Amino acid sequence: MWLCKYDLSKECEGKYRDCVDCVLDKIRAEIENDWQLKKYPSSPFACGLRRAMEIIDQVQGRK
């Protein structure tokens, strides 16, 4: 374990390859929890959020 470069109060458990993956996972989690994505799933805004998650997945090599 080592300390996160950006938040020295947190430890990284080796779950991520680097800090970029950690940050992208946090952004993805915030997008998934967006109330508009859940309440209005077919809105243009929700489509944009889903596309953002697809891009994050591509950058991280998940898809």
Side-chain angles (χ1 to χ4, degrees):
M1 279 194 256
W2 55 86
L3 293 178
C4 174
K5 285 191 236 179
Y6 300 102
D7 185 354
L8 296 177
S9 66
K10 294 184 180 181
E11 289 184 353
C12 181
E13 298 173 359
K15 179 179 171 184
Y16 303 105
R17 291 179 292 175
D18 56 27
C19 293
V20 173
D21 279 344
C22 176
V23 171
L24 287 174
D25 272 355
K26 289 177 183 177
I27 292 170
R28 190 178 203 297
E30 288 296 320
I31 292 171
E32 285 177 338
N33 289 325
D34 189 276
W35 67 271
Q36 291 186 31
L37 186 60
K38 294 175 183 173
K39 190 169 182 178
Y40 305 107
S42 61
S43 75
F45 184 75
C47 291
L49 291 175
R50 279 193 295 280
R51 179 64 184 134
M53 289 191 298
E54 289 173 5
I55 292 169
I56 290 171
D57 288 343
Q58 287 174 350
V59 169
Q60 290 184 309
R62 290 184 183 171
K63 289 187 179 180

